[in-house]
Amino acid sequence: MLSGSYPGELYWFPRNADGTFGARKTLLGADNKPIKVGSGTPRLATAPAVFDWESDGRPDLLVGNIEGNVFLLRNLGTKPEPSFAAPEKVQADRQTIAVGGDAGPTVADWNGDGLADLLVGSADGAVTWFRNTGTRAAPTFARGVELVADAGNSYGEVDEKKVAAGKGRPWGGRTKPCVVDFDGDGALDLLLGDYSVEKLAPPKLAPDEQAALDRLRAEYETQSKRLERETDRSGVHKLRDELSELVEYDGPESREQAEARQAEIAELRTKVEAREKQLAPLERQVSELYVKLPKERVSHGYVWLFRRQSPGR
């Protein structure tokens, strides 16, 4: 099982004989460092797909990121022991693919010509089809064709009134497509995972209740800003990132290097725990205020079925 992540690292989970999965492992490049794609955005929101790009029996990687690009990582190793080259941006119609954010790639022969095409979800909810105009062993892609329309918002907010009036889309953003003949009619359909946010109607309150709510909301905002300042001042975010990189590293190292890394991990954990302990009372206070506030939005992750209407599209 393969997974991207919001920080950007790629993980794989080895399958056991009984169908369960083992502990996660960080995917490394040929340089024995965790794979990263993009221009250095702190949170890269990676979405991977496996595809034998050169039809040589070795699975390669296609990885979308938060910037809306799709990257190819060629497998320089073997199927059981892959080793991935540096990421290279995938192009379509001689232009770098850029879907506007949160690219979610998948590969399928969408038009039935025997060649693997590229379909990419995006932050705004659209899905774009890039037809393979090359060969099975050397793919090239045509200009993108929109299969699923832009839903309008990378934050996934769905305007129910517009949807009811036929002027809006019911699905959200950050879409991740999967191609499958869902109904067994011989035509490929789309399953589409999304991120949706539903706005809730505000509660009807008496004047004294509204005044109390306004005071509660003001206190919550004050304490939230205070927590943000204190967290930044403590430097705990940086320490957590450093600790995560050390813990997740699974590349080659000597016994001395492993011991030094474990010592550094222990020291960092002590620092993180100490700073988290200092922030804990304020975090509890903010949480207690938050749960008292009426919810304005609720988020969902829906899966949408788009049935194929036209064999060519």
Side-chain angles (χ1 to χ4, degrees), residues 169-297:
R169 313 292 183 185
W171 57 92
R174 308 179 198 177
T175 45
K176 304 295 184 287
C178 175
V179 178
V180 62
D181 180 3
F182 188 81
D183 49 14
D185 64 356
L188 294 176
D189 307 300
L190 277 180
L191 288 174
L192 198 63
D194 79 344
Y195 171 73
S196 300
V197 177
E198 176 187 355
K199 293 182 180 179
L200 302 178
K204 296 181 179 179
L205 303 175
D208 59 331
E209 293 174 322
Q210 185 62 54
L213 176 58
D214 290 342
R215 290 193 296 272
L216 177 62
R217 186 172 283 117
E219 177 65 11
Y220 170 72
E221 292 175 356
T222 297
Q223 296 304 331
S224 293
K225 290 178 180 178
R226 180 187 167 200
L227 176 59
E228 186 177 337
R229 290 194 303 269
E230 293 298 326
T231 301
D232 288 342
R233 187 178 295 120
S234 74
V236 71
H237 287 320
K238 182 179 179 182
L239 288 174
R240 286 170 180 162
D241 288 342
E242 292 176 3
L243 179 59
S244 177
E245 289 184 4
L246 285 172
V247 169
E248 293 169 0
Y249 178 75
D250 56 4
E253 57 186 353
S254 66
R255 179 178 178 180
E256 291 77 12
Q257 289 172 324
E259 290 175 349
R261 185 167 61 87
Q262 290 303 318
E264 190 174 356
I265 286 173
E267 182 180 355
L268 275 175
R269 277 183 173 152
T270 300
K271 290 181 179 179
V272 169
E273 289 170 359
R275 296 185 191 189
E276 287 179 338
K277 187 175 181 180
Q278 292 176 345
L279 293 169
L282 184 53
E283 287 181 333
R284 283 195 297 271
Q285 184 179 358
V286 171
S287 296
E288 289 168 0
L289 289 168
Y290 176 75
V291 297
K292 294 177 183 178
L293 292 170
K295 299 297 174 283
E296 298 178 352
R297 293 173 174 81

Side-chain angles (χ1 to χ4, degrees), residues 15-91:
R15 183 181 175 89
N16 299 321
D18 61 359
T20 62
F21 292 92
R24 79 177 189 188
K25 298 177 181 291
T26 303
L27 271 180
L28 305 179
D31 59 0
N32 288 316
K33 294 181 180 179
I35 292 171
K36 292 288 184 73
V37 298
S39 61
T41 305
R43 302 297 180 187
L44 294 169
T46 47
V50 178
F51 173 49
D52 185 357
W53 182 269
E54 296 166 317
S55 194
D56 58 4
R58 296 180 296 183
D60 307 297
L61 287 178
L62 288 171
V63 182
N65 74 344
I66 201 170
E67 296 166 317
N69 303 129
V70 178
F71 295 81
L72 167 65
L73 291 87
R74 300 176 191 269
N75 185 356
L76 305 178
T78 63
K79 185 174 183 179
E81 296 184 9
S83 176
F84 296 104
E88 53 187 281
K89 289 183 178 179
V90 178
Q91 293 191 336

